[in-house]
Amino acid sequence: MAGSKTILFVEDDKPIAEMYSRVLEREGYQVEFASNGTEGLQKATSKHYDLILLDIMMPEKTGIEVLDELRGADGSGSPDTKIVILTNLAQDKTSQEALKAQADGYIIKADIVPSQLASIISKLL
Amino acid sequence: MKHAESELFRRQTLALFFIVSIVPALIVGAVWYAYSQTTVLNFLILDFNSFVFPVIMVGIVPALILSFIFAEILTRPVREIHAAIQRLATGDFSRQFKGDGQGEFNEISVALDQVSRKLEQTLSQAFSETALIKAERGKLHSVLNSMSDGVFALDRSGRIVLFNKAASEITGRSITEVAGQLAEKVMPFRSDGELVMTRWLALGAGAEHKVGQWKGLELYSADGHSLIVDVEAVVLKDDPNGIAALITFHDLTKSHQLEEMKIDFVALAAHELRTPLTEIKGYLDILHTEAKGLTKTQQQFLSQAMSSAAQLGDLMHNLLNVARIEHGEISYQTDVVDYRSLIIDTTATLQTHATQQKRTLTLDVPKQPLAILADQSAIVEVIDNLVANAVTHTKPDTGKIYISVIAHRTNIETTVTDNGSGIPRHALSHLFTKFYRVNELKSTSRGTGLGLYICKSIVEAHGGSISVESVEGEGSSFTFILPRSTIATKASSTNNKLTITKGAHGWIKNHTVR
């Protein structure tokens, strides 16, 4: 089943992107990458993904800005795509911003290992 | 007589005539002196040069001199008095009046002297009072203008009548610019864009004496910069000087900026620390799953590295959490949560860990849903911490951890009991203190001594309490009480956020549960 699911991973840190993708691909997901916010937004608007994993601190556009643009002003944009923030920013205010902007999740990278991310995604999709 | 009479009258005579009277009303007679005119004229004309003139000169000159002297004697005191009065008029009280020791002038000068001294006294008193008032006003001025807080005063119509230097410096508005202006126009303190003080002040007739305080109000400086200020206002009732309100404000902008920079720095530093940790943990996890043919020792090394990485993560999390608690930066996102499903979920995740560590973990919980108003991940952290402590202080195989939940009418009591090493009596009262560790030097257990401090902070922030009972060598029992919510959870009693995993502090919206 997982094989039919597509994931867009927007992350500027290559070792981290490779680390997660290794596990996600092993689980059968189709993973595509974008290395900054602008590229991520471009890919997300040109093709459908079941899940978008968004880093926050990236060049050009932050993950929150990408989330804002994807969900739109009324928060109803891209209704068939789950968007999860995957960051190491653990501030409450950032987490609340993501919640307001209609993210489906907020995960702190350092708190989990790749296999845990895979199990969270399997519950979500 | 008749003849003599006629003779006398016929001739030109020079006569002198006196009326003799005893009292003005009773005339008793008259004396008549008469001389022949010729005789008199002869005498006057012939003897004027030789006799009358010298006589006149001898009489007049001394008279003139005398009169001058007398005039001098008579007018000197008058002039002196005049001069003295003029000196008085110019405020010179230094010279006393010199009387001549007798007569009316002396009395006048003595009286004037008294008046002068009295006047001098009164005036010098008045002067010293004025000087005192001036000095006081000067002091008040210095105090007002050396204050770092802005101070301004309003009259009954709400117009500014006093504006100190700090007020000028903070707002960038000069006293001349604001004097007589309505406070709400030039000094509009706002909270969330709303004017806060005008209505509260309610100046004018019948204003009541009161004191008000506001924290973190917004104010714009003359050049349009946004300021953050704490404000204190006093409304004065019937002030004799016409001051109706006194307002003090403290500029927090700089300290706010500093505080935000500090928080931002900590957040950034934490982010930078977490990034390598993510990779260490992540790649160890991949290695652990994928590595084939490792010797038992190599696998042990790997496990040790993984457990240390996890520990480093917990340590960082706790240290940062304490910093956030200390700075008041933690904001708990409270929702109505079913505590029953929360503790069942949490225990299930902890169960895996406990089984790995060869401890028995059991849970006893009421059957009905238990609504609490809580930040779910914070409460999960409390349970995590208490169970992790229980695991640490019990032994493998024999270690038993028992979680019991009792629902009271207004609150919910959760107890985590273990059969571990217990806590010495002397340590019990310090247990929830920051950085406290029971065996500081023996280092029998690892940890920062922050876990229980964080638990206490979280429970108290939820309006609850935490306590401990322990017998050394027999075990410990930690109890925390949380107030029940008056709002019931939804019938399905599922929480809207999913617990990610043990020790993880993000959230996942629970879309899949229906």
Side-chain angles (χ1 to χ4, degrees):
Chain A
M1 301 305 147
S4 60
K5 305 282 185 188
T6 50
I7 298 174
L8 175 64
F9 196 177
V10 190
E11 169 67 74
D12 65 316
D13 189 327
K14 220 173 165 208
I16 286 191
E18 280 172 1
M19 181 181 88
Y20 287 122
S21 68
R22 189 181 178 94
V23 177
L24 294 176
E25 278 167 359
R26 196 175 64 204
E27 295 290 320
Y29 296 104
Q30 285 178 31
V31 187
E32 286 180 35
F33 293 96
S35 60
N36 63 59
T38 315
E39 193 193 334
L41 192 63
Q42 209 179 354
K43 285 199 169 174
T45 46
S46 60
K47 191 185 156 187
H48 172 264
Y49 295 94
D50 295 303
L51 170 71
I52 298 173
L53 292 170
L54 271 177
D55 184 27
I56 292 181
M57 281 173 69
M58 288 185 295
E60 297 182 44
K61 266 189 202 308
T62 70
I64 299 285
E65 284 168 340
V66 175
L67 171 68
D68 269 333
E69 291 191 38
L70 288 176
R71 287 290 188 235
D74 62 351
S76 66
S78 316
D80 299 328
T81 304
K82 299 264 191 285
I83 305 176
V84 171
I85 300 283
L86 185 60
T87 179
N88 264 326
L89 279 175
Q91 280 170 295
D92 296 335
K93 68 171 183 191
T94 324
S95 156
Q96 282 156 37
E97 258 179 90
L99 184 67
K100 262 190 211 153
Q102 300 301 318
D104 294 282
Y106 192 95
I107 300 170
I108 292 149
K109 291 175 195 165
D111 284 351
I112 55 153
V113 292
S115 53
Q116 283 172 321
L117 179 69
S119 84
I120 291 165
I121 289 173
S122 73
K123 279 184 209 162
L124 202 62
L125 293 181
Chain B
M1 278 293 281
K2 265 192 178 170
H3 173 77
E5 247 178 28
S6 59
E7 189 66 8
L8 191 65
F9 283 103
R10 242 179 281 132
R11 278 167 30 198
Q12 288 193 322
T13 54
L14 189 70
L16 285 169
F17 178 80
F18 297 99
I19 290 167
V20 181
S21 63
I22 296 162
V23 287
L26 184 65
I27 296 168
V28 291
V31 179
W32 187 297
Y33 300 94
Y35 287 94
S36 152
Q37 201 181 30
T38 325
T39 319
V40 175
L41 279 175
N42 282 346
F43 164 75
L44 282 174
I45 292 161
L46 294 176
D47 296 328
F48 185 77
N49 288 332
S50 59
F51 175 72
V52 179
F53 184 70
V55 169
I56 287 171
M57 288 314 283
V58 168
I60 285 174
V61 171
L64 277 174
I65 292 167
L66 277 175
S67 72
F68 185 77
I69 291 167
F70 277 126
E72 181 61 24
I73 290 169
L74 283 173
T75 59
R76 196 183 63 215
V78 176
R79 276 187 284 116
E80 257 183 30
I81 288 165
H82 180 249
I85 288 170
Q86 274 188 332
R87 281 201 309 276
L88 274 185
T90 61
D92 176 12
F93 305 100
S94 57
R95 285 162 67 183
Q96 300 288 312
F97 292 102
K98 279 176 268 159
D100 55 0
Q102 52 185 329
E104 291 89 347
F105 286 124
N106 191 46
E107 277 170 35
I108 290 171
S109 71
V110 168
L112 262 176
D113 209 28
Q114 281 174 348
V115 167
S116 162
R117 257 177 281 152
K118 189 80 192 160
L119 209 59
E120 184 178 12
Q121 250 177 19
T122 315
L123 278 176
S124 75
Q125 198 181 337
F127 276 138
S128 67
E129 271 168 18
T130 315
L132 206 69
I133 290 166
K134 260 192 186 167
E136 288 301 317
R137 198 191 289 161
K139 273 188 221 164
L140 199 65
H141 190 76
S142 300
V143 169
L144 271 176
N145 285 331
S146 56
M147 282 172 77
S148 59
D149 284 355
V151 178
F152 64 98
L154 308 179
D155 65 9
R156 292 258 166 262
S157 58
R159 290 176 196 279
I160 294 173
V161 290
L162 181 150
F163 202 71
N164 80 339
K165 203 171 147 197
S168 275
E169 284 169 357
I170 295 168
T171 61
R173 294 177 203 279
S174 69
I175 171 101
T176 45
E177 205 181 322
V178 297
Q181 296 284 324
L182 282 173
E184 63 197 69
K185 267 194 174 167
V186 286
M187 296 293 290
F189 294 112
R190 286 192 166 89
S191 175
D192 295 326
E194 297 285 316
L195 278 175
V196 267
M197 288 181 54
T198 321
R199 207 181 311 145
W200 180 86
L201 285 169
L203 300 178
E208 286 301 311
H209 182 94
K210 57 186 171 181
V211 181
Q213 279 182 326
W214 296 265
K215 293 221 175 281
L217 297 185
E218 311 145 358
L219 179 71
Y220 283 91
S221 67
D223 57 5
H225 277 99
S226 163
L227 305 168
I228 298 154
V229 290
D230 279 355
V231 180
E232 188 170 324
V234 186
V235 171
L236 305 165
K237 191 177 160 64
D238 307 325
D239 177 64
N241 300 309
I243 289 182
L246 192 68
I247 295 143
T248 325
F249 60 101
H250 182 70
D251 184 15
L252 291 171
T253 318
K254 273 182 197 151
S255 57
H256 252 247
Q257 282 169 348
L258 265 178
E259 196 57 39
E260 266 177 24
M261 273 170 66
K262 214 156 68 183
I263 290 170
D264 287 348
F265 171 78
V266 171
L268 201 71
H271 177 269
E272 295 310 300
L273 285 169
R274 281 193 198 103
T275 303
L277 182 68
T278 306
E279 287 172 33
I280 294 169
K281 279 173 77 173
Y283 280 108
L284 284 173
D285 179 58
I286 292 172
L287 196 61
H288 177 73
T289 326
E290 294 184 4
K292 302 269 187 285
L294 289 181
T295 64
K296 210 179 175 191
T297 320
Q298 284 167 334
Q299 269 189 351
Q300 266 178 5
F301 292 168
L302 195 54
S303 298
Q304 187 54 50
M306 283 170 78
S307 120
S308 293
Q311 212 177 347
L312 184 61
D314 288 348
L315 222 69
M316 266 173 52
H317 176 79
N318 278 355
L319 279 170
L320 289 166
N321 242 358
V322 168
R324 286 157 78 215
I325 290 168
E326 303 284 285
H327 284 105
E329 205 234 329
I330 281 197
S331 53
Y332 296 106
Q333 293 297 298
T334 55
D335 286 312
V336 180
V337 169
D338 175 23
Y339 186 67
R340 182 176 183 271
S341 32
L342 183 147
I343 199 144
I344 289 172
D345 285 353
T346 313
T347 312
T349 0
L350 292 167
Q351 191 75 60
T352 328
H353 179 67
T355 312
Q356 274 172 8
Q357 303 289 316
K358 294 178 177 138
R359 268 78 163 177
T360 327
L361 177 64
T362 45
L363 170 70
D364 186 8
V365 66
K367 297 231 166 0
Q368 79 276 20
L370 305 165
I372 57 163
L373 193 64
D375 184 312
Q376 196 173 317
S377 53
I379 297 303
V380 169
E381 187 166 354
V382 175
I383 302 163
D384 268 5
N385 261 315
L386 295 180
V387 174
N389 278 349
V391 169
T392 310
H393 295 101
T394 48
K395 290 195 177 90
D397 301 319
T398 56
K400 284 196 176 94
I401 302 151
Y402 171 64
I403 306 174
S404 79
V405 177
I406 303 165
H408 297 289
R409 198 173 58 83
T410 58
N411 58 45
I412 298 164
E413 189 183 311
T414 308
T415 307
V416 179
T417 311
D418 66 61
N419 61 347
S421 52
I423 301 150
R425 182 181 286 269
H426 69 87
L428 284 174
S429 57
H430 306 290
L431 220 52
F432 296 100
T433 318
K434 198 172 30 173
F435 301 122
Y436 184 80
R437 295 179 64 215
V438 176
N439 292 310
E440 239 171 294
L441 296 173
K442 283 187 201 160
S443 187
T444 50
S445 68
R446 287 176 174 177
T448 45
L450 292 172
L452 289 175
Y453 169 74
I454 292 169
C455 286
K456 186 171 186 269
S457 303
I458 292 172
V459 170
E460 285 177 356
H462 282 79
S465 62
I466 190 164
S467 60
V468 60
E469 276 175 45
S470 182
V471 177
E472 212 177 348
E474 286 180 22
S476 312
S477 164
F478 287 84
T479 302
F480 66 92
I481 293 165
L482 292 172
R484 292 183 78 154
S485 167
T486 47
I487 314 158
T489 50
K490 292 170 193 95
S492 65
S493 79
T494 50
N495 301 315
N496 60 359
K497 283 186 202 167
L498 205 70
T499 312
I500 294 175
T501 180
K502 182 199 171 292
H505 299 278
W507 47 267
I508 293 286
K509 272 189 197 164
N510 202 354
H511 290 286
T512 48
V513 180
R514 288 177 205 281

